[in-house]
């Protein structure tokens, strides 16, 4: 083709070199991880599907980065990219990391209406499906629950990125079904990373501690 003749490269190579590579260098930063998490969850609290809206922009950028990580893992090389593995650790129980809300509510909530919603949300919540909580509790437009819904994932995005960047926990390198339960998901996405799995367990404890005061605040308001 004319492209091959004049550049010595095919179209795919040109896209990789002049489009994908520059985007990857900008995308694989702590700022990107935090921004993606914040935008996803600020959209959710106003009733918009943040994961789908933000994912439409990030998926074409993050997918080639994950492919690079997978290739490196298969060849027993260092995993090059951090950001593609961060998102999973920030959404334990679904967007907003609401697994912490489920556990905190089971332990401390006294409001029957909330406990009813929580009881029917446990099973789907374990598989990262939390629309029953987001719209049934609700979290959307709820001034009490909006803050931890945004803050939890943002904090986890910061700690996850830094721990992976400094190779304290394993980096994400494999694509797994998004409905994989926490702990198992951390183990699988990192190709059998035990440190990442332990980190996920610590993250769940953090989330319970984060959500608990807001559950109690909601109890007082709805008592």
């Amino acid at each position: 083709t004319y492209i091959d003749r004049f550049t010595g490269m095919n179209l795919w190579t040109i896209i990789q070199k002049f489009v994908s590579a520059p985007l990857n260098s900008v995308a694989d930063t702590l700022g990107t991880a935090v921004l993606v998490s914040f935008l996803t969850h600020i959209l959710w609290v106003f009733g918009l599907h943040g994961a789908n809206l933000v994912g439409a922009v990030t998926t074409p950028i993050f997918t080639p980065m994950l492919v690079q990580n997978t290739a490196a893992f298969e060849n027993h090389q260092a995993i090059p990219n951090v950001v593609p593995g961060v998102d999973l650790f920030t959404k334990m129980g679904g967007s907003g990391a609401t697994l912490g809300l489920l556990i905190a509510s089971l332990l401390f909530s006294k409001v029957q209406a909330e406990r009813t919603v929580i009881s029917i949300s446990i099973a789907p919540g374990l598989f990262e499906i939390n629309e029953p909580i987001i719209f049934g509790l609700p979290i959307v437009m709820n001034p009490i629950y909006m803050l931890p819904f945004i803050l939890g994932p943002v904090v986890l995005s910061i700690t996850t990125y830094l721990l992976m960047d400094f190779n304290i926990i394993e980096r994400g390198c494999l694509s797994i079904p998004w409905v994989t339960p926490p702990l198992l998901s951390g183990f699988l996405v990192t190709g059998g990373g035990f440190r990442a799995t332990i980190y996920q367990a610590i993250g769940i404890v953090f989330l319970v501690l984060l959500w608990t005061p807001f559950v109690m605040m909601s109890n007082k308001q709805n008592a």
Side-chain angles (χ1 to χ4, degrees), residues 68-152:
Q68 290 178 355
N69 285 5
T70 302
F73 175 77
E74 290 174 343
N75 291 295
H76 306 286
Q77 299 171 347
I79 307 299
N81 304 302
V82 177
V83 167
V86 170
D87 188 65
L88 180 143
F89 291 85
T90 70
K91 294 180 179 176
M92 292 182 284
S95 293
T98 50
L99 183 60
L101 173 58
L102 285 174
I103 298 172
S105 296
L106 287 174
L107 292 174
F108 302 109
S109 180
K110 306 298 181 183
V111 178
Q112 186 57 45
E114 285 196 358
R115 291 187 65 86
T116 299
V117 174
I118 293 298
S119 66
I120 65 175
S121 302
I122 295 171
L126 291 174
F127 294 92
E128 318 293 357
I129 301 168
N130 63 349
E131 280 81 358
I133 302 176
I134 292 176
F135 297 106
L137 200 57
I139 291 173
V140 171
M141 303 302 290
N142 185 330
I144 294 177
Y145 286 144
M146 287 169 65
L147 180 59
F149 185 86
I150 298 171
L151 183 61

Side-chain angles (χ1 to χ4, degrees), residues 120-216:
I120 65 175
S121 302
I122 295 171
L126 291 174
F127 294 92
E128 318 293 357
I129 301 168
N130 63 349
E131 280 81 358
I133 302 176
I134 292 176
F135 297 106
L137 200 57
I139 291 173
V140 171
M141 303 302 290
N142 185 330
I144 294 177
Y145 286 144
M146 287 169 65
L147 180 59
F149 185 86
I150 298 171
L151 183 61
V154 168
V155 170
L156 288 175
S157 69
I158 294 171
T159 58
T160 303
Y161 182 93
L162 292 175
L163 290 173
M164 287 185 175
D165 191 42
F166 288 105
N167 296 310
I168 296 172
I169 64 172
E170 299 87 354
R171 299 182 181 186
C173 57
L174 301 176
S175 177
I176 65 172
W178 66 270
V179 292
T180 306
L183 302 186
L184 179 60
S185 63
F187 180 79
L188 294 178
V189 80
T190 55
F194 286 103
R195 285 172 289 156
T197 307
I198 294 170
Y199 166 66
Q200 259 194 329
I202 295 171
I204 292 172
V205 174
F206 157 73
L207 290 169
V208 174
L209 294 174
L210 173 67
W211 280 98
T212 294
F214 294 94
V215 169
M216 292 181 171

